[in-house]
Amino acid sequence: MHNTPDNFGSKRAAYIQGAKDALTIPALILGSTYMGFGALVSETGLEVWHALISTAVNWAIPGQIATMELYAINASLFAIAAAVGLINCRLMPMTIVLMPFIRNKTTPKIVYYFMSNFIAVTGWAAAMKRCPNLPEEQRLPYFTGFVVPLWSVCMLATYIGYHLPGLLPAEVTMGLVFLNPVYFMLVFLADFTQPGRPTALILGAILGPLTFLLTPNWSLLITGLVAGTIAFLISERKLKKAQS
Amino acid sequence: MNGLDSFLNSDFMAPMAALGVAAAVTYFWRGLGVAVSGKMDKDSAIFRWVTCVAYALLAGLIARMILLPIGPLAELGLEQRAGATIISLAVFFLTRKNLLAGVTAGATALVLMAKLGPL
C-alpha cells in the first residue's frame, strides 16, 4: 500500500479497490482476531449466536471482549453499559473526523447513519489514508468496499473460532487476540509522518495505561481529553508560528 | 406464558440483554458522531481538536490493550506482552515497515513465551 492514487476512475472501481485493500492483511489479521473472539465466547459458555450477534451489531473488538468478560463475571447491565460506553467513546470523535472525508452531496443522510456501524479502527485508518485524496463521489464507495467485506470475514471468523476451542491450545487463542492491538500499533506507526498526529499518539500511549491504573473506567475519556488537548495546543502553536 | 417466560430467562436470552445494552451504547457514539459532524466545519479549530482527541484515544486504547489487557491476555505476565511487543517493533522496522512480518513475529513470540512460561 505504498502508492496512494488520487482517482480510481469510477465508483465501481473504488468499491473494488476498497475490497482489494481490505481482503489482504487487514482481513488476515482481523480474521485471526475474531477467531480468537469466537473461541473466547465459546469458553464463556455462550452460544454461537451470541458471538455472531456481538460481531454483527457491536463491531469493534475492545468493547466486544469487555462485554463478554463482564457478562462472565455476572456484572449488572448498568455496569456493562457504562464500561462499554466508556471504552467505545472513541467512536464518536473517530466518526466526526472521518465523515467529511466520506460524505458527498447526493447520498442521503440515513446511509451515513447506517454505515457508521462499520466505523472501527481498521477501516477508519484505511479511509483516513485514502479518501482525502479521492474525488468526492469515490470516497464512500471506497470505504464501503473496504468495510463490508472485512466485516463479513469477521462474521465468518467468529463462527469458525467458536468451534475451535479444544482444537486450539489456550496459548494460540492468546496469540490470536494479541495480533489485534499489535496490528493497530503498527498501522499507526506506519502513518506516523502525518503532521500533528505523532504528539497525540505518543501522549495517548503514555497516558492510556497510566490512567487505567488509577481509574480503569474513566481512563480512556481522560486520556483522550487531556492528551488530545495538549497535542492540539502544541500543533496550533506550530501552525501559528508557521503562518507568521 | 410459561414457555415465553422460560425463553426470556433462558441461557439464550439472558446474554442477549448484555449484548443489546452494549450495542445500544456503542451505536449511540457512532450515531452521535454522524449527527455532530454535519454541524462541524472541517477547517475549524474544533475539528482539529477532535482529530487530536481521536488519535490520543486510539493510542491510549492500544497501549492499554497491550500493557494492561482485559480478557485472555491478562493471564500472561507484563514482561511477556512487553517482550513480544518489542520483538514485533524490531521486526517491523528491520523489514522496512512490513506490517505482516511485524505482526506475525509479535504474535508468534507471545505464543512461544506463553508456552514456555515466564523467562
Side-chain angles (χ1 to χ4, degrees):
Chain A
M1 277 197 271
H2 287 291
N3 57 326
T4 48
D6 306 338
N7 197 331
F8 298 127
S10 67
K11 281 190 193 179
R12 200 183 125 85
Y15 278 114
I16 292 169
Q17 190 58 47
K20 273 188 184 165
D21 285 354
L23 294 175
T24 51
I25 297 175
L28 201 62
I29 305 286
L30 274 198
S32 309
T33 302
Y34 273 86
M35 275 194 212
F37 175 72
L40 178 73
V41 175
S42 140
E43 281 158 17
T44 313
L46 299 182
E47 292 172 32
V48 69
W49 294 110
H50 296 126
L52 288 172
I53 289 167
S54 177
T55 301
V57 296
N58 200 358
W59 191 41
I61 197 73
Q64 287 182 261
I65 291 182
T67 307
M68 291 304 167
E69 288 291 311
L70 289 167
Y71 179 77
I73 59 165
N74 273 320
S76 69
L77 285 181
F78 179 77
I80 292 175
V84 175
L86 285 166
I87 287 177
N88 282 344
C89 66
R90 72 182 183 291
L91 294 169
M92 184 181 76
M94 282 168 68
T95 305
I96 295 176
V97 170
L98 181 63
M99 278 295 288
F101 300 116
I102 57 173
R103 198 166 25 212
N104 62 61
K105 289 174 194 79
T106 50
T107 307
K109 233 181 165 185
I110 186 91
V111 175
Y112 296 103
Y113 279 103
F114 175 73
M115 285 308 294
S116 73
N117 261 309
F118 295 98
I119 295 178
V121 178
T122 311
W124 183 83
M128 287 293 290
K129 192 173 179 179
R130 287 268 199 173
C131 291
N133 303 321
L134 293 177
E136 207 175 78
E137 74 278 5
Q138 288 177 23
R139 293 173 172 182
L140 187 61
Y142 178 80
F143 177 69
T144 309
F146 191 100
V147 290
V148 173
L150 189 62
W151 173 85
S152 310
V153 167
C154 290
M155 288 293 283
L156 185 65
T158 304
Y159 181 82
I160 296 170
Y162 184 89
H163 296 287
L164 280 181
L167 297 174
L168 276 189
E171 291 89 354
V172 176
T173 309
M174 286 182 194
L176 292 178
V177 175
F178 188 65
L179 278 175
N180 194 258
V182 169
Y183 171 65
F184 289 164
M185 173 183 77
L186 297 184
V187 164
F188 284 107
L189 273 179
D191 271 352
F192 215 57
T193 45
Q194 296 276 348
R197 289 183 197 172
T199 327
L201 289 169
I202 291 169
L203 290 175
I206 295 169
L207 219 54
L210 286 180
T211 52
F212 189 78
L213 291 172
L214 296 172
T215 162
N217 273 336
W218 296 98
S219 150
L220 270 181
L221 198 62
I222 296 170
T223 300
L225 291 177
V226 174
T229 304
I230 296 173
F232 168 73
L233 293 174
I234 293 174
S235 73
E236 291 295 295
R237 270 187 65 176
K238 274 191 194 154
L239 206 70
K240 277 209 184 100
K241 264 189 194 160
Q243 280 166 352
S244 62
Chain B
M1 271 324 274
N2 219 350
L4 182 66
D5 204 45
S6 67
F7 174 70
L8 287 177
N9 292 305
S10 65
D11 291 344
F12 181 74
M13 283 313 285
M16 287 300 286
L19 291 173
V21 159
V25 294
T26 303
Y27 186 73
F28 170 78
W29 291 123
R30 287 172 167 143
L32 191 64
V34 176
V36 171
S37 79
K39 299 181 172 56
M40 212 179 268
D41 177 9
K42 182 162 74 71
D43 301 313
S44 64
I46 186 151
F47 185 82
R48 292 197 295 274
W49 175 73
V50 174
T51 307
C52 287
V53 170
Y55 279 100
L57 273 167
L58 285 167
L61 179 66
I62 295 163
R64 198 276 293 155
M65 283 168 86
I66 292 172
L67 296 174
L68 304 162
I70 43 176
L73 288 175
E75 291 164 34
L76 292 175
L78 174 63
E79 68 284 357
Q80 290 170 314
R81 292 188 306 265
T85 308
I86 291 166
I87 289 170
S88 163
L89 284 171
V91 171
F92 177 67
F93 284 111
L94 285 175
T95 55
R96 283 187 290 171
K97 298 195 178 177
N98 185 317
L99 269 176
L100 193 58
V103 173
T104 313
T108 311
L110 186 95
V111 173
L112 288 178
M113 282 193 265
K115 264 218 150 50
L116 301 173
L119 298 175

